[in-house]
Amino acid sequence: MRGPVMKTARRGVVMAFLLGLVLTLAACSSGAGPTTAVAGDCLVEASSADDMNVVECADGEAKWSVLAVADTIDGTVCADQPDGDIYLTFEDDGKSVCLRLLGAVGDCAWTDFSGLADCEEDSGYQLAAILEDTDDEAGCPAETEQVRVYSDPSVYCWIRWPAS
């Protein structure tokens, strides 16, 4: 009698393990993207702005901070977000996401700041300096063309790229 009981118990443990593995994989693959993110999450672009993945905010790869997610596609998701740089709408999900750029010095962005650009191939702006613990742009380099002041407080100083 002991043999079959152990077989059944072992089978139960294996089945429980497999079920747990399937549920974990389903959770990981079912939405680590912008429409499943919540305010405070950080994102990294995969292949495009529409294809982002949630990452730890302390991760050096994090390029966007989620400020708000709304069940609307009318563009109002950033209306009450003074730090909002861009919003993305996802019609299939019926959601919009308001994002703040978490650039690093040397990063490049499109001229309308709608996303990160490839510094070697695209023209736009390059982040020349980040001034932390201030809302005073006086410390930006002389060639600064665009300034973004955030409420944390910090100042992002952008220069034209490639330099003219």
Side-chain angles (χ1 to χ4, degrees), residues 30-53:
S30 69
T35 60
T36 60
V38 296
D41 280 349
C42 290
L43 303 170
V44 63
E45 286 184 25
S47 60
S48 70
D50 291 343
D51 185 19
M52 296 182 172
N53 296 313

Side-chain angles (χ1 to χ4, degrees), residues 122-134:
D122 303 317
S123 60
Y125 293 102
Q126 185 175 46
L127 187 53
I130 299 174
L131 311 177
E132 295 187 20
D133 301 321
T134 185

Side-chain angles (χ1 to χ4, degrees), residues 17-80:
F17 172 77
L18 290 175
L19 178 62
L21 182 63
V22 168
L23 292 175
T24 300
L25 291 174
C28 289
S29 67
S30 69
T35 60
T36 60
V38 296
D41 280 349
C42 290
L43 303 170
V44 63
E45 286 184 25
S47 60
S48 70
D50 291 343
D51 185 19
M52 296 182 172
N53 296 313
V54 175
V55 295
E56 293 293 324
C57 292
D59 185 333
E61 295 296 311
K63 293 296 181 186
W64 302 95
S65 173
V66 177
L67 302 178
V69 179
D71 291 324
T72 180
I73 58 168
D74 64 7
T76 60
V77 67
C78 284
D80 296 328

Side-chain angles (χ1 to χ4, degrees), residues 7 23 31 42 70 75 78 92 111 115-116 157:
K7 237 184 202 178
L23 292 175
C42 290
C78 284
D92 291 347
T111 54
L116 294 174
C157 310

